[in-house]
Amino acid sequence: MPTRTNLTAPALLCADIGGSHMRLAWIDNDLNVIERRQISTPSHDLDRFVESFAELVRESHRPVKAAHLSLAGLQDPVTARCIAANIPCIKDVSLAPLMSRELGLPVRIANDADCFTLAEARTGAAKGHDNVFGIILGTGVGGGLVQQGNLVVGRQGLTGEWGHGPFLRRGDRDYPYLPCGCGQSGCLDTIGGARGLEKLHLWLCGEACSSRDIINGWLSKKSPYHATVTRYIDLLSDALAIVINITGASCVPAGGGLSAVEQLITALDQAVREKCLYNTDTPIIVRAKLGDDAGLIGASYL
Ligand SMILES: [Zn+2]
């Protein structure tokens, strides 16, 4: 029987905060979205960042019991200080306590890839799995770890960062050795997402083209694109096989723009299953189910 939303009961306010947009959703006790709003993120002005958010909450006139935020950045679980490459105004700011004072509400914050993984583990493509490593193949790569339905939050909020660390070697002709946003060089993130795929193709074939064209060329079995995507799958599957061996994850839901290409995820899954120790005929890498709302849904579980 369909549930009827009680508009007077306090809602849970969930927000997906990225470098370009803040998406807010008011969610009732049955996890139905009852209202949505979206604005540009004032990424360089902390006062405007907080005030714009508070203004949206006031404008809705809806009673709210708490705010849970999925952030394209990290929050240190001890100090509550945040860092977000595309939202410089919140760097080193204890954002949850600040927003809690401003909104008069309890505020919880988690990394967006963590929220994505939490959502996919509880109600998405990895539902029923106890040990889930979620991956984002977006502009770059991200990840999160959920065990027994709970988010694993590491020191300084760092978990699931399979895209960072010395992975590629200087001087290898098989791939470029590029500086990464984290300060190191040779991270998988430099070639792992859509921009990385473009850099890898430029390095291998000397041709600048979009990730969409590279993928379409691969799907059409055109040789330069085929060579690039084969190399790309080889490198990603190396890293993911080790991730699966370490975490014991039995399901790896993949989100982000590149995950929309079903054949890519299938090829990645096959390569990973050939390399990891866990022996199974069932796919491990699977496409995420919850789409753009995964961050908001995951935030609701914080
Ligand atoms: Zn890095």
Side-chain angles (χ1 to χ4, degrees):
M1 197 173 149
T3 52
R4 182 172 289 181
T5 296
N6 180 352
L7 293 177
T8 58
L12 178 63
L13 175 63
C14 294
D16 194 353
I17 300 182
S20 47
H21 291 99
M22 292 180 174
R23 294 169 58 224
L24 279 67
W26 283 255
I27 293 177
D28 70 12
N29 287 335
D30 298 312
L31 296 181
N32 300 309
V33 174
I34 48 181
E35 184 175 346
R36 287 179 191 266
R37 298 203 177 201
Q38 177 172 323
I39 55 165
S40 300
T41 304
S43 55
H44 292 274
D45 184 334
L46 181 62
D47 289 341
R48 274 192 57 218
F49 180 97
V50 175
E51 183 50 35
S52 305
F53 192 100
E55 206 171 287
L56 288 181
V57 177
R58 285 195 296 271
E59 279 173 10
S60 92
H61 299 295
R62 197 179 289 283
V64 173
K65 58 186 174 188
H68 292 182
L69 316 184
S70 165
L71 178 70
L74 298 170
Q75 177 192 245
D76 187 315
V78 176
T79 65
R81 288 186 180 179
C82 292
I83 186 158
N86 295 321
I87 315 173
C89 71
I90 64 169
K91 185 178 184 330
D92 290 331
V93 174
S94 297
L95 191 62
L98 174 65
M99 293 196 67
S100 183
R101 283 195 299 276
E102 202 64 32
L103 299 169
L105 295 169
V107 173
R108 292 181 185 172
I109 296 178
N111 170 257
D112 55 357
D114 286 353
C115 288
F116 159 83
T117 306
L118 191 53
E120 290 293 334
R122 294 250 189 119
T123 49
K127 188 179 176 185
H129 290 263
D130 285 339
N131 199 338
V132 176
F133 190 85
I135 60 170
I136 304 286
L137 302 175
T139 312
V141 303
L145 180 63
V146 169
Q147 293 183 323
Q148 277 75 45
N150 296 309
L151 200 52
V152 177
V153 179
R155 280 198 292 187
Q156 298 182 343
L158 291 158
T159 322
E161 298 289 345
W162 66 296
H164 297 284
F167 180 73
L168 306 168
R169 292 287 160 192
R170 188 198 303 272
D172 196 311
R173 289 185 182 178
D174 286 348
Y175 43 72
Y177 183 76
L178 301 168
C180 180
C182 75
Q184 301 189 61
S185 291
C187 294
L188 185 69
D189 192 71
T190 62
I191 54 105
R195 297 295 83 76
L197 179 61
E198 291 162 1
K199 289 175 190 166
L200 183 62
H201 186 70
L202 181 63
W203 170 268
L204 290 170
C205 303
E207 179 189 32
C209 56
S210 70
S211 58
R212 181 187 297 260
D213 288 345
I214 297 166
I215 292 291
N216 286 338
W218 172 66
L219 292 172
S220 308
K221 298 188 169 31
K222 290 182 184 164
S223 60
Y225 308 105
H226 185 78
T228 298
V229 176
T230 300
R231 180 72 46 80
Y232 175 79
I233 289 169
D234 194 37
L235 290 167
L236 257 67
S237 59
D238 280 357
L240 284 170
I242 294 169
V243 165
I244 289 164
N245 286 347
I246 293 170
T247 60
S250 57
C251 186
V252 177
L258 289 172
S259 74
V261 186
E262 190 171 358
Q263 296 92 326
L264 182 68
I265 299 306
T266 301
L268 186 59
D269 171 63
Q270 285 169 352
V272 166
R273 280 193 284 137
E274 283 169 12
K275 293 174 181 176
C276 69
L277 296 174
Y278 177 54
N279 199 350
T280 176
D281 293 330
T282 309
I284 301 175
I285 318 287
V286 295
R287 288 172 68 204
K289 269 194 181 158
L290 301 173
D292 288 344
D293 276 350
L296 290 170
I297 294 167
S300 76
Y301 297 137
L302 294 175

